Amino acid sequence: MTLEVEQKDNITLIKVAGRLDTLTSRDFDKQVGELGDFRGDLVIDGAKMEYISSAGLRSFISLLKKVKDSGHTLEVVNLTADVRPIFDMTGFSSLFNLK
Amino acid sequence: MNLSDKLSLYVMYVSIGVFIAIILIVEFYAAKSESEQAEHITRLLQTEMVSNLDSRFYAVEQNVKRTVPEARLLDIAQIKQHTGDILKILLESDSIIEGCGIAMIPEATPTGREWMEYLCRDKDTVTLKQLGETDYNYTSCEWYRTPLNLGEGAWSKPYEDKGAGECLMVTYALPVVNASGETTCEVTADIAISMLDEELHRLIPYPGSYSFILTKDGEFLEGYPQVQQDFPSFASAFQTGKTVTMNGTEFICTFTPVESINIVIGTASPRHSVASVTSRIRLPLLLILVIGFILLIAVVRMTLVRAMQPLKRLTQSAIDIGNGNFDIVIPETRRYADLSRLGEAMSFMKDSINRYIAEIKENTRAREQMESQLRIARDIQRSLLPAPEATFTSKRLRLSAFQESALEVGGDLYDYVDTDKSLYFIIADVSGKGIPAALMMSYVKSLFHFAAQQKLQPSEIVARINDNMCADNPNNMFVTLQVGYIDTAAEKLVISNAGHNPAILRSALGCSYLNLPAALAVGILPNFPYTQQEIPFVAGDTLFMYTDGLSEAENPQKVFYGQERLLQTVTTAISTQPSTTAIVASIGDEIKKYSANNYSDDITMLCLSAFPNDGISMQLRYDVAELEPLMTAIREIGISDKWDADFVKKIMLVAEEAVTNIIHHSPVPHPEEPIEFDLRNENERVVITIQDHGAEFNPLKHDTEVDTTLDWEQREIGGLGIFLMRRLSESIGYRYHNHKNILTIILKS
């Protein structure tokens, strides 16, 4: 799992690549935590995500709560066919306003 | 019985003996000497009396003789005129003379008849008597006849006179010869025996003594005091011996003869008077002895008790030492040299024990240090060996090893190196045992490891180990070994042997020893040409290697386990046991049973098995890091079985959630036993079975349906994993059996 973070105006874009599972979710939490407080909305680009398990979902929901608490929005975009069914299955698609 | 009691008793016995001896000596010797003394004294008194009597009788004789000249002058006629005067003078000459007379010799008289004139005392007056013929026939009397026959004066024996003196008397008679030589008459003087009473009275040496006069024949005549009936008994002593017992009193009798008048003077003294000194000292003596005896016993007893006191203290000290109190001070005993030596000996013993204890402690400490170092060495050696169980999923190889050392450290080695295409392995047995073998073993291991990583051919690896060992092997150690690799893709086993026990191969053809060419053990001959063999090795085949600790295990009857029996055991184990781990474990149990758990050599086994590519069998630790190889295995089986990528991801997700759930949420995990993950591809379905040894934990029980419609603020973080597992699988089941949680998940492609 690798993260790529881009800052555009007030929007933070996080590109997630690889597997987000039990082994990598802690790494994800840590790296996201290091970004500090959010001064604007957050967008996660899942174009290169290969795999997500419940641990990854939990990381997403923690991040969502943190972002909402700071009064901003979290949007997940470009989910692959590998990951999208999991989001649909768990109701996360609506939670993250997936199109 | 105590020593002091016993000694007291002995002293008492000896004292009583001495006591009795003293009494006896006093009684016997003192009494004896007293009787002798008494006899002596009595005899002196008697002798004095006798000499007194003798002198008086002599005086009587002289007085009688003095009358002779006058009597000689007389003829018969004249005598008759003058006798009265002569006799009167004679009678008055000595008061002892009771009576005196002149007896005519009848033949000298004209008439030829007896005629005698006799003057005797009659109270205060004197009486003159005419005797002879019928009234007093003196010629027949002994007093008359004896002197006449002798022709000189003589005393008669004592006799009872009748007709003249009328008493018991002795008579001195002196024949008178006239001028013509004819015996004309006899002049006589009588002494009454009773006249001797006065003398007898003086002869009383002891209180209660008797004095008496006997005839020479022992006939009693006179005695003092006047207890007549006693004297005949005393008289008998004159004949028989010296002592007489009368009325219970013993009398000592002493006799002295008075030769002049033919009598014997006797004295009888009672023993108790004689032995008066003995009787007097008897009571004080007894008293002194008894007191002395009591004092002696008391002193001995006291001394012994005092002497025993230090012994008692020493005894207590010995008990203390016996109880393990080695710091006590042994009491000093200066009073008795022997006890003092005993005390010193005990002190010495105590000090020695303390010294030995210190030495033992030191030795024990050194040994413990040695043992601890050996344990460390054992741990290091253990850590040099790779895990005894390993699964190489991509190579479809499973490996299990077993090793037990006879000593802390051993010379057996197994090792394996996983390279990209092949799995290299080695089994080796260093000659000898213990630390030297262990050091050589680690050397061989590093040589193998390095060579295997360079992917050399097994014969080259063996040759390299041989060359290195031969180059520097001053102790001439050698190693038997087998080195090889398995290439599952090429379905082959390449193996090189160096004097090691033949390996066993189970293939479709059966189970048999690998017939490899004989070759020298390494470390003996440099440049030995080792060879290698290539043998087909396909899925389902098993290779079993071992060290001689197995084939040469001995039962209590010293019989080797043997190659034949080993082949049978291995064949059975491979065909019945489900895994390589179970195979080596069951063979190990069998060997232990055979040798009654007393094997003298290191035992090592290495078992390699190629499994068909129809599933996954993995043992996972309680660590999420284990997920990585698991995911790799699932991906690989997916590739080889040409599964759909989505299906593979589904399997991965279900496996991850199930395993993570056990690792993270098992209430009481059991990390000693791995989590067993098994995956089978059966008829377009995948069956996953996950077993763990933790406490009973049903993950489905707490499974609350996740409400996927809730807003983010209400969404629970937990429960998603179980939810996903349920949604992605066709069925999911849980049971607790044989102390294992068994979770079975079936997925449909």
Side-chain angles (χ1 to χ4, degrees), chain B residues 563-619:
Chain B
Q563 299 284 354
E564 209 161 305
R565 204 193 315 244
L566 181 65
L567 180 62
Q568 276 177 2
T569 308
V570 173
T571 308
T572 311
I574 292 173
S575 57
T576 57
Q577 299 298 332
S579 66
T580 48
T581 307
I583 290 169
V584 293
S586 73
I587 296 169
D589 288 346
E590 176 71 22
I591 297 297
K592 281 179 191 170
K593 208 160 69 188
Y594 181 79
S595 62
N597 252 331
N598 185 27
Y599 36 93
S600 53
D601 204 355
D602 304 337
I603 290 179
T604 303
M605 292 178 251
L606 183 61
C607 184
L608 287 144
S609 183
F611 55 85
N613 196 7
D614 57 357
I616 299 171
S617 259
M618 281 182 87
Q619 295 185 326

Side-chain angles (χ1 to χ4, degrees), chain B residues 511-570:
Chain B
C511 202
S512 63
Y513 281 110
L514 270 185
N515 195 11
L516 299 175
L520 214 52
V522 298
I524 298 172
L525 195 64
N527 303 319
F528 185 88
Y530 291 100
T531 57
Q532 64 185 34
Q533 272 65 43
E534 199 174 305
I535 298 155
F537 196 83
V538 297
D541 288 357
T542 301
L543 178 68
F544 180 81
M545 287 170 288
Y546 57 93
T547 56
D548 58 9
L550 252 80
S551 50
E552 291 171 14
E554 286 179 347
N555 66 2
Q557 287 76 44
K558 303 280 169 204
V559 177
F560 281 156
Y561 196 72
Q563 299 284 354
E564 209 161 305
R565 204 193 315 244
L566 181 65
L567 180 62
Q568 276 177 2
T569 308
V570 173

Side-chain angles (χ1 to χ4, degrees), chain B residues 465-502:
Chain B
I465 295 171
N466 184 41
D467 293 344
N468 277 285
M469 274 190 66
C470 288
D472 193 15
N473 185 10
N475 292 320
N476 294 317
M477 298 182 82
F478 62 89
V479 183
T480 68
L481 52 81
Q482 269 163 2
V483 171
Y485 66 80
I486 292 169
D487 185 340
T488 38
E491 295 188 323
K492 65 174 182 182
L493 158 70
V494 180
I495 188 165
S496 176
N497 177 46
H500 198 77
N501 302 58

